[in-house]
Amino acid sequence: MEKLISKFKGIHPGIILERELKRKGFKKGPFALSLNEYPQTLNDITKGKRGITASLSIKLDQSLGLEEGTMFLLQAYYEIQKEKDKKTSNDKPDFSIIRQILFWDTEFEKINWQKQYQAVIKRVMERGNDDEKDEIIRFYGKQKVDEVKMTNNSFNLRKS
């Protein structure tokens, strides 16, 4: 089971279920009915629209000859991956708003938005349009943007 789990970690269990049904030659409708489940439920699971519950996991594992808990563990790993994806999506501003041309001297894809926040904020606040400035404030927070602007202003005053 560990090999199966590690191989499919983070993938919706419905995809694995679909594959197993095809491999064993089972049709979804009759298979669902044999489990006392609605065919629509099984169809939604195989399409990734619905998750697998513990009770359904027990039925699926027994019917497919899998170790008990396999499908439920796959569901858990899928949920964990979804949460990780949400977290990493917040690590970057909305690229549909920020123009890449603002960073003409840098490889845009390689910008570390967390570590290089001072340079990013400075650049966007100096050269960005109102929408880009609003996105940077939304992404970093007003306090952080204000801190960078204050540090920048005091640096500019010392230079003059």
Side-chain angles (χ1 to χ4, degrees):
M1 178 170 88
E2 286 181 35
K3 187 177 179 183
L4 175 76
I5 296 292
S6 63
K7 186 177 179 181
F8 296 117
K9 223 179 202 182
I11 296 173
H12 192 282
I15 295 170
I16 290 92
L17 176 59
E18 178 91 33
R19 194 192 94 193
E20 285 297 308
L21 292 174
K22 282 183 183 171
R23 200 167 66 82
K24 295 185 184 285
F26 296 156
K27 300 242 182 242
K28 279 190 260 183
F31 182 73
L33 293 173
S34 75
L35 300 174
N36 281 334
E37 294 289 335
Y38 292 108
Q40 297 89 335
T41 302
L42 205 63
N43 192 47
D44 284 351
I45 291 169
T46 59
K47 300 281 187 234
K49 296 178 181 178
R50 184 182 282 211
I52 294 177
T53 63
S55 63
L56 181 56
S57 172
I58 292 169
K59 294 176 190 177
L60 289 171
D61 293 339
Q62 286 175 350
S63 296
L64 296 172
L66 300 171
E67 190 175 330
E68 187 176 89
T70 300
M71 295 305 276
F72 199 57
L73 277 173
L74 289 171
Q75 182 68 44
Y77 279 118
Y78 172 73
E79 297 297 331
I80 289 168
Q81 187 61 49
K82 265 186 10 183
E83 285 303 310
K84 283 181 178 178
D85 291 347
K86 276 187 208 173
K87 188 176 181 200
T88 58
S89 72
N90 292 334
D91 289 347
K92 297 177 177 128
D94 185 345
F95 293 148
S96 68
I97 297 172
I98 306 290
R99 293 172 295 151
Q100 290 186 19
I101 194 71
L102 288 175
F103 302 93
W104 73 92
D105 56 344
T106 308
E107 287 187 58
F108 190 76
E109 300 77 28
K110 292 188 178 180
I111 294 173
N112 185 323
W113 297 92
Q114 299 306 321
K115 286 185 180 178
Q116 299 170 317
Y117 73 94
Q118 291 180 331
V120 169
I121 291 170
K122 181 181 176 206
R123 179 73 57 98
V124 173
M125 290 302 159
E126 286 177 355
R127 300 166 192 247
N129 62 34
D130 289 341
D131 290 339
E132 290 164 331
K133 290 176 185 177
D134 289 344
E135 174 57 15
I136 289 301
I137 291 168
R138 182 209 60 81
F139 178 68
Y140 289 114
K142 185 162 177 33
Q143 183 178 355
K144 196 169 199 174
V145 171
D146 287 344
E147 286 172 13
V148 171
K149 285 166 61 176
M150 289 293 285
T151 305
N152 218 19
N153 286 340
S154 62
F155 179 74
N156 287 339
L157 291 174
R158 281 187 248 140
K159 274 176 62 175
S160 339

